[in-house]
Amino acid sequence: MRFLHTSDWHLGRSFHRVSLLDAQAAFLDHLVATVRARDVDAVLVAGDVYDRAVPPLAAVELFDTALHRLADAGVPTVMISGNHDSARRLGVGAGLIERAGIHLRTDPAGIGSPVVLADAHGEVALYGLPYLEPALVRERLGAARGGHQAVLSAAMDRVRADLATRPVGTRSVVLAHAFVAGGEPSDSERDITVGGVAAVPAGVFDGVDYTALGHLHGSQTVTPRVRYSGSPLAYSFSEVHHRKTMWLIDLGADGGVEAAERVDCPVPRPLARIRGRLEDLLADPALVRHEESWVEATLTDAARPAEPMARLAERFPHVLNLVFEPERTESDPSASYARRLRDRTDQQIAEDFVAHVRGGAGPDETERTVLYGAFDDVRVDGAATEREVGAR
């Protein structure tokens, strides 16, 4: 059976205030064309269909059009909600839409109830695991403790329990939206950490033949059976080196992944990160190749130049972001605050602040636990508010 694995469409998202709606429409055109041209048996969409819980009308209309086209193609689609989606909103009408072959899995209660497809070699059970916010689903799933690993393990226990009741030889596929250890994140994914810990081991998904992951925006192979498709478009300059693709997966008669091919997505405009003194950037002949790219320029001038954005735009008309990082030593007290915080979690930043105000004495274990709980409470409150908004 052949699957087209995609995720993280983020319909309605812009790129540094530039609308990506036309580029997202072009991607969906490409997806439907690929489904028809490559004899795809099912489409897997591993979450973050929308960019926010209440998407703009234009994004909803684009999604509606995509569903109609996939239904017209006669190819089943299995889709889960991600951490950007409102699960309740995305799941509205799921029962009715299912009649057209579009299977929306947004409710944790349905984790153990797969979409069952069949080919010449027998049945394939496809299980949808929507994004699971630990504090909101722990009790519903009977997880022994909180955290992403615990709730995903509990969800997979339900998957394996259902699979054990099915005929011998039934193949299995799981869709999940999570941060799996070994994956490489980028700047454009919303943080799902709780107390700084979010990554779960790939072994959580043992016992199924293929796991189609969403959340991380770079296409990557965690194991041959566990893969991220990545987002179809770049959503931050940290993705400048990403090759945006979908996975075309052939699942063999014995459940093995017989073939895994990356299908390239359309690129609306290449990205470029350039760095140096303003006058050098304006004169460097090697930068000709970036003159039609979306550009992020980092200026290293010791003093801020006059009208840098306007001057850069004369050569790079699609410059979108400007960063100032004057050339200074790391010991210089005026070094960029953002640089000093780079790659540090909220928990680490808070602990550093405690150490700073105490003259170097960081928090003890009790205080670390309090900080952990505070960040956890903020995340839970935010998720609960989003759920209430989605229910209105």
Side-chain angles (χ1 to χ4, degrees):
M1 186 169 288
R2 175 169 287 181
F3 303 107
L4 187 63
H5 167 196
T6 176
S7 73
D8 295 273
W9 294 355
H10 289 278
L11 300 180
R13 187 163 183 159
S14 60
F15 186 74
H16 290 270
R17 298 176 299 281
V18 174
S19 173
L20 291 177
L21 208 62
D22 288 344
Q24 290 171 334
F27 158 69
L28 292 172
D29 289 344
H30 173 66
L31 182 147
V32 174
T34 301
V35 166
R36 294 181 180 277
R38 301 300 299 272
D39 297 321
V40 171
D41 295 306
V43 176
L44 313 178
V45 187
D48 280 355
V49 174
Y50 291 120
D51 189 55
R52 54 184 183 267
V54 184
L57 179 59
V60 177
E61 291 173 340
L62 184 58
F63 178 61
D64 180 64
T65 300
L67 293 188
H68 278 84
R69 295 177 68 188
L70 288 168
D72 288 344
V75 176
T77 298
V78 183
M79 183 178 297
I80 63 173
S81 50
N83 60 301
H84 278 248
D85 299 308
S86 165
R88 291 180 63 89
R89 285 178 179 270
L90 185 62
V92 168
L96 184 62
I97 293 171
E98 192 156 4
R99 298 180 187 178
I102 308 294
H103 306 274
L104 296 172
R105 293 293 185 263
T106 62
D107 187 346
I111 284 172
S113 301
V115 177
V116 180
L117 306 178
D119 63 9
H121 305 295
E123 293 185 342
V124 180
L126 296 93
Y127 299 87
L129 278 59
Y131 171 69
L132 302 172
E133 178 62 46
L136 299 181
V137 302
R138 173 186 170 184
E139 292 184 2
R140 293 178 65 184
L141 294 178
R145 58 188 183 280
H148 289 276
Q149 183 172 345
V151 297
L152 273 172
S153 295
M156 285 301 301
D157 285 344
R158 294 192 177 191
V159 168
R160 284 185 282 264
D162 178 83
L163 191 57
T165 68
R166 299 194 174 272
V168 174
T170 299
R171 291 159 290 166
S172 54
V173 173
V174 162
L175 290 78
H177 196 85
F179 184 5
V180 175
E184 182 66 30
S186 61
D187 292 345
S188 55
E189 298 117 9
R190 181 181 295 167
D191 184 19
I192 62 170
T193 59
V194 179
V197 180
V200 301
V204 165
F205 301 104
D206 285 351
V208 297
D209 296 312
Y210 183 73
T211 301
L213 293 174
H215 180 57
L216 300 186
H217 289 181
S219 177
Q220 48 204 297
T221 301
V222 180
T223 76
R225 294 179 181 270
V226 180
R227 299 171 187 262
Y228 282 100
S229 69
S231 61
L233 298 169
Y235 293 119
S236 75
F237 279 103
S238 67
E239 301 170 53
V240 64
H241 298 302
H242 285 190
R243 174 187 165 198
K244 296 301 183 180
T245 61
M246 302 176 285
W247 281 112
L248 195 65
I249 301 294
D250 287 343
L251 199 65
D254 62 353
V257 177
E258 292 187 342
E261 176 188 345
R262 293 178 70 183
V263 179
D264 288 292
C265 298
V267 179
R269 191 178 295 279
L271 306 186
R273 275 178 155 172
I274 60 177
R275 180 185 181 90
R277 295 178 176 139
L278 178 59
E279 295 301 333
D280 294 337
L281 297 180
L282 296 176
D284 188 350
L287 299 181
V288 169
R289 68 187 188 279
H290 297 316
E291 290 180 352
E292 294 303 317
S293 301
W294 278 323
V295 170
E296 177 184 76
T298 298
L299 299 185
T300 61
D301 301 73
R304 189 184 185 103
E307 300 184 337
M309 198 66 164
R311 295 173 66 189
L312 282 166
E314 292 178 3
R315 182 178 187 188
F316 307 102
H318 305 288
V319 60
L320 297 180
N321 196 39
L322 192 58
V323 179
F324 288 96
E325 290 189 3
E327 293 177 340
R328 297 177 177 131
T329 65
E330 289 294 332
S331 60
D332 189 332
S334 60
S336 167
Y337 180 68
R339 189 191 319 166
R340 284 184 276 129
L341 297 186
R342 189 176 298 161
D343 300 324
R344 300 189 65 75
T345 67
D346 290 342
Q347 177 93 10
Q348 290 169 326
I349 293 170
E351 291 182 12
D352 288 348
F353 176 75
V354 172
H356 172 72
V357 297
R358 285 181 175 169
D364 58 26
E365 286 305 314
T366 300
E367 291 167 331
R368 285 194 181 93
T369 300
V370 171
L371 287 171
Y372 180 102
F375 285 119
D376 200 6
D377 288 344
V378 169
R379 285 183 43 74
V380 171
D381 289 346
T385 299
E386 183 172 294
R387 186 174 61 173
E388 290 171 4
V389 170
R392 290 174 188 168

